[in-house]
Amino acid sequence: MLVLASKSPRRRELLSLITPDFEIKTADADETLPEGISPDKAVEYLSKIKAEPFKNDDDIVIGADTVVAVDGKILGKPADRADAFSMLKALSGREHSVFTGVTVIKGSKAETFSVETKVKFYPLTDEEIESYLDTGEPFDKAGGYGIQGKGALLVESICGDYFNVVGLPVSRLSRALKEF
């Protein structure tokens, strides 16, 4: 059986592009990052933490985590409206990176990787940011925006895997799963 160790409805939807046959399992995990860890290594670390509680010899388990990073600083999910505003202001008119880390594990076999996608925002006015915050969309998403929703209106360009920005690098994961 294929197991997705994630609460994310977006990851569930994206994994269904690869196969409709999987189940969801989640566990609470301490997601405290080691001091000074780079964004790509952070998502790899977190993807392992999410997958390992379900590791066994019969199931292929997938764990994933996504972060937005600008100037090497990780932007997680905003704590509140002010935090979301601050994140979007920091991304305004600039390019940032979205990293998704994935761990695929079955018994003693494991593969962990991360994928980076570059996203550039249009310059945003305070009014545009406030209007986007009013949609309620930013509050459960890394970096305070969802590219698959109204956040798409903020994006000037993207270089890399679109699905990675949504939360799961589908093509890269599909290739990794063939090894299992």
Side-chain angles (χ1 to χ4, degrees):
M1 173 58 75
L2 188 62
V3 174
L4 176 61
S6 176
K7 297 174 187 167
S8 168
R10 292 166 294 281
R11 286 196 187 100
R12 192 173 304 160
E13 185 180 328
L14 292 174
L15 185 56
S16 71
L17 295 173
I18 298 172
T19 178
D21 191 24
F22 63 93
E23 62 182 57
I24 304 293
K25 293 185 179 178
T26 60
D28 290 328
D30 177 7
E31 295 189 25
T32 306
L33 292 170
E35 194 68 35
I37 193 168
S38 64
D40 60 326
K41 295 302 176 198
V43 291
E44 290 177 11
Y45 174 83
L46 293 169
S47 73
K48 286 181 200 172
I49 286 174
K50 292 178 179 182
E52 286 181 344
F54 306 106
K55 176 173 79 170
N56 64 66
D57 291 333
D58 299 320
D59 298 326
I60 299 170
V61 181
I62 301 165
D65 196 78
T66 302
V67 300
V68 170
V70 63
D71 299 329
K73 180 184 175 202
I74 295 172
L75 305 180
K77 294 177 184 175
D80 54 29
R81 187 178 179 99
D83 193 26
F85 184 93
S86 173
M87 286 182 186
L88 293 168
K89 194 75 171 167
L91 299 176
S92 174
R94 301 190 57 206
E95 184 177 80
H96 60 276
S97 294
V98 179
F99 293 93
T100 298
V102 178
T103 294
V104 180
I105 192 166
K106 180 178 181 181
S108 61
K109 183 175 181 175
E111 180 181 355
T112 299
F113 60 89
S114 59
V115 173
E116 177 182 12
T117 303
K118 300 277 192 181
V119 179
K120 184 176 181 192
F121 272 18
Y122 283 106
L124 305 174
T125 65
D126 288 357
E127 293 76 24
E128 287 173 310
I129 294 172
E130 290 292 350
S131 179
Y132 181 56
L133 294 175
D134 288 343
T135 69
E137 190 176 272
F139 302 104
D140 69 336
K141 294 169 182 66
Y145 76 96
I147 196 169
Q148 73 282 3
K150 297 227 182 260
L153 303 175
L154 313 176
V155 176
E156 181 177 335
S157 64
I158 178 173
C159 182
D161 183 344
Y162 166 82
F163 295 112
N164 185 58
V165 182
V166 179
L168 198 64
V170 177
S171 182
R172 177 69 176 83
L173 174 58
S174 177
R175 293 175 187 283
L177 287 171
K178 288 176 184 171
E179 302 302 314
F180 285 80

